[in-house]
Amino acid sequence: MRMRRKKHLEERLADCKDLIIFMDLEDRNYNQADTFRNYIDCKELFGNDNPIEMEVGCGKGQFICEIAKQNPDVNFLAVEKSSNVIVDAAEKAKAMGITNVKFLRGGAEYLPCFVPEKIISRIYLNFSCPFPKKRYASHRLTHKVFLEIYEKLMMDGAEIWQKTDNLHFFEFSIESLSEYGFTIKNVSLDLHKSDFEGNIMTEYEKRFSEMGFPIYRLEAYLKK
């Protein structure tokens, strides 16, 4: 079901204009993504040279705001394609006075148009849509299509950290990452019963764990 457009959405987005960058192409033509480049100047954006981490699919911002609050010496880019959703995340960051997170409104396929190569030290994929039907596999955020994008953005030694409640998607991710050449480590089939420390829960994670669902987690990196 499509989310109903929020009231006063444009005004709310305008109130967060210092936090949100709109990854828009002319006519939203994906074919332009191969050639269009309008790179963000991250030093100017954040005012420093701190390391940069990215969450792809930040939802309403619970995770990204908390991790940014806990790590003031790290900059964070939070990607979300829905204006209806990203406005909540940006308002949350603004209300908390967080200055080391900026939001990118647009699909992950447009990241190479706006984010410079080799600047991201970690990518978080938290409870991405699993797109369970096979014909939509290429929309999964751990499909080869997106792994190619992440590789361009990731510094040497950077990692992908994934969490999901969907076992089939998790199995797909392990296979896709492995076939691409990623080394996988710290795999958990029930995160909340593991000895992993420092976990920051997302909105979905809290809901799913309270319902008794196991949370699956992995870390992956490319050997150079």
Side-chain angles (χ1 to χ4, degrees):
M1 182 182 295
R2 183 172 296 180
M3 182 183 295
R4 181 179 298 176
R5 182 179 177 86
K6 293 182 183 296
K7 290 183 178 180
H8 310 296
L9 177 60
E10 296 304 325
E11 293 92 333
R12 292 172 64 185
L13 290 169
D15 285 342
C16 296
K17 63 182 179 180
D18 293 336
L19 295 177
I20 304 175
I21 297 167
F22 292 86
M23 297 194 297
D24 290 333
L25 303 184
E26 184 180 351
D27 299 326
R28 297 187 179 180
N29 183 354
Y30 175 69
N31 292 328
Q32 295 181 45
D34 288 337
T35 58
F36 180 85
R37 296 291 181 270
N38 185 21
Y39 287 146
I40 300 164
D41 185 333
C42 290
K43 183 175 181 179
E44 180 179 349
L45 182 67
F46 290 104
N48 57 58
D49 288 319
N50 290 343
I52 302 171
E53 300 181 3
M54 173 185 288
E55 183 183 16
V56 181
C58 70
K60 294 182 179 180
Q62 179 170 314
F63 173 85
I64 201 68
C65 287
E66 184 59 34
I67 197 171
K69 180 181 176 182
Q70 292 184 17
N71 297 274
D73 295 329
V74 177
N75 296 325
F76 294 89
L77 293 173
V79 183
E80 175 58 52
K81 65 182 179 180
S82 169
S83 292
N84 235 22
V85 176
I86 204 170
V87 70
D88 286 331
E91 287 176 340
K92 185 173 296 182
K94 185 176 181 179
M96 294 173 66
I98 296 170
T99 59
N100 59 326
V101 59
K102 303 294 181 181
F103 297 88
L104 305 181
R105 200 294 311 273
E109 61 268 29
Y110 299 116
L111 285 171
C113 304
F114 295 90
V115 179
E117 295 185 2
K118 304 298 181 184
I119 68 163
I120 303 299
S121 59
R122 184 178 296 160
I123 293 175
Y124 299 95
L125 302 175
N126 293 318
F127 299 89
S128 314
C129 180
F131 290 100
K133 294 182 180 180
K134 282 189 175 181
R135 67 177 180 271
Y136 296 130
S138 62
H139 294 271
R140 298 169 188 163
L141 288 180
T142 50
H143 188 274
K144 178 183 177 182
V145 170
F146 292 103
L147 298 184
E148 289 176 347
I149 291 173
Y150 305 151
E151 182 183 11
K152 292 177 181 177
L153 305 182
M154 293 166 67
M155 303 170 61
D156 291 346
E159 297 181 342
I160 294 174
W161 287 17
Q162 181 193 22
K163 291 193 290 186
T164 179
D165 69 306
N166 189 295
L167 179 57
H168 294 299
F169 178 40
F170 192 64
E171 291 172 339
F172 170 87
S173 299
I174 290 175
E175 182 177 356
S176 181
L177 286 160
S178 298
E179 288 180 352
Y180 194 86
F182 280 87
T183 297
I184 298 173
K185 64 176 184 176
N186 296 332
V187 175
S188 175
L189 299 181
D190 197 341
L191 174 61
H192 294 176
K193 292 182 179 179
S194 73
D195 58 0
F196 180 79
E197 297 180 358
N199 181 52
I200 297 173
M201 287 204 291
T202 73
E203 297 93 342
Y204 283 113
E205 183 175 356
K206 185 175 186 297
R207 184 193 311 169
F208 294 145
S209 62
E210 288 175 350
M211 294 171 66
F213 295 135
I215 305 301
Y216 308 102
R217 182 186 181 278
L218 62 76
E219 299 171 13
Y221 64 95
L222 282 170
K223 288 185 177 180
K224 296 295 184 180

